[in-house]
Amino acid sequence: MAFVTIRILEGLERGRVFASLPTPVTIGREDDNDIQLNDDRISRFHAKIQDDAGRVILTDLESTNGTRVNGHPVQMKVLQPGDLVSVGRCVLLFGDLPHWQPSDSENSRAAKQTAVFGEDDDEDASSSLDIDFQSGAVHPEADHLFPHGAPPAPSELRPLHRAQVSDMLAYLHDQLGKVLGAATEHDSSSEDRDMVCPREMWNQLISVQATLAGYLKKIADPD
C-alpha cells in the first residue's frame, strides 16, 4: 500500500490538501469517493489512483470527459511527484510541492545585473548587493524579499477586506493557471520530464499556484 498526497489547485475545492491518503484512492463527483469534487464535468467515479509494485498508477474509469496528465489525455499513467492531473474544471497536483531554486546561470545573471546597478547608481553599491557567503552567489535584494518563504495568510479581516484580498489573489491565481494550463509535457525518449516551458519555471509556478490556492481557501473559509 502506498500513501499519496493530492493538492487541489483549481476548482471549487481549490486549496484543499488530501495528505497521506492510503491507496487505492478514487476521484469523482459522488460522496463515496476518497476525493469528492463538486463539478458537473466530472463523472460520478472519474478516476482511480492505486499502487502496483511500488509505482503509483492513475486510471481513468471510462469518464465522460476524460483525464489529462500534464496536458495530455490518458487512460492509464504512472504518476510522478509534480504531475498535474486535470479532471473536469479541476486541476490536482500529485505529490509534494516541487523544489525550486535558481540555477547557476540565473545566479550568474543576477550577479551581473547587480554589478551594473552598483556602477550606474549614485547609491552605495553595498546597499544593492546581497551576498550568500556559503555559495558565493550574489543576488539582487528583491530575490530575498521573503527569505523565510511565503508570508502567512492575513487573519481577523473584516468581510469587505476578505473580499478585496480574495479578488486580488483570485486574479493572480487565474493568471498563473493560464500558464500552467497552456504547458504540456515534452515528448522525449530520455528520462528527463521537461515541460514546454523550462522545468525550473514550471516548478516555481506550481509552488506559487499551490500557495495562492491555500490563501484563497483560508480567506474564503476562515473556520
Side-chain angles (χ1 to χ4, degrees):
M1 177 191 299
F3 293 86
V4 299
T5 294
I6 302 293
R7 300 171 184 267
I8 312 300
L9 303 187
E10 290 284 0
L12 293 178
E13 289 79 19
R14 66 183 177 191
R16 289 197 64 183
V17 178
F18 297 86
S20 300
L21 292 178
T23 53
V25 173
T26 59
I27 303 169
R29 201 174 67 249
E30 285 289 323
D31 293 338
D32 291 338
N33 288 281
D34 300 290
I35 299 179
Q36 190 268 335
L37 300 172
N38 186 13
D39 185 339
D40 58 10
R41 295 186 183 180
I42 293 177
S43 298
R44 294 172 59 247
F45 294 93
H46 195 105
K48 178 172 67 173
I49 297 174
Q50 60 190 352
D51 171 56
D52 188 349
R55 306 296 296 274
V56 178
I57 311 297
L58 170 73
T59 303
D60 181 85
L61 300 177
E62 300 183 356
S63 64
T64 301
N65 295 309
T67 300
R68 290 177 175 267
V69 175
N70 298 333
H72 295 288
V74 300
Q75 180 61 42
M76 295 186 69
K77 181 75 167 63
V78 178
L79 293 179
Q80 299 186 44
D83 280 343
L84 292 182
V85 179
S86 299
V87 290
R89 302 178 183 88
C90 299
V91 177
L92 288 61
L93 170 64
F94 172 73
D96 294 328
L97 296 180
H99 176 70
W100 174 86
Q101 62 182 9
S103 64
D104 292 339
S105 60
E106 288 176 320
N107 287 341
S108 176
R109 181 166 61 252
K112 292 179 181 179
Q113 292 172 344
T114 304
V116 171
F117 174 81
E119 292 174 1
D120 294 343
D121 195 88
D122 291 334
E123 294 181 2
D124 183 3
S126 63
S127 65
S128 64
L129 296 177
D130 186 7
I131 302 175
D132 183 343
F133 290 97
Q134 290 184 345
S135 65
V138 182
H139 312 280
E141 283 184 344
D143 285 357
H144 290 282
L145 182 59
F146 299 102
H148 301 294
S155 59
E156 300 181 0
L157 297 176
R158 292 170 48 196
L160 173 60
H161 294 160
R162 285 208 304 271
Q164 291 173 325
V165 173
S166 181
D167 281 347
M168 293 171 60
L169 295 179
Y171 171 77
L172 294 172
H173 188 272
D174 178 67
Q175 297 303 303
L176 291 172
K178 290 178 181 178
V179 176
L180 297 182
T184 56
E185 187 173 358
H186 179 64
D187 292 327
S188 174
S189 59
S190 67
E191 295 182 357
D192 295 333
R193 301 177 61 250
D194 292 334
M195 309 303 293
V196 172
C197 60
R199 189 70 189 188
E200 295 172 3
M201 181 60 69
W202 177 253
N203 288 344
Q204 184 185 15
L205 288 175
I206 292 176
S207 296
V208 173
Q209 180 84 338
T211 300
L212 290 177
Y215 283 177
L216 288 167
K217 177 67 176 176
K218 181 65 176 179
I219 291 171
D221 185 13
D223 298 328

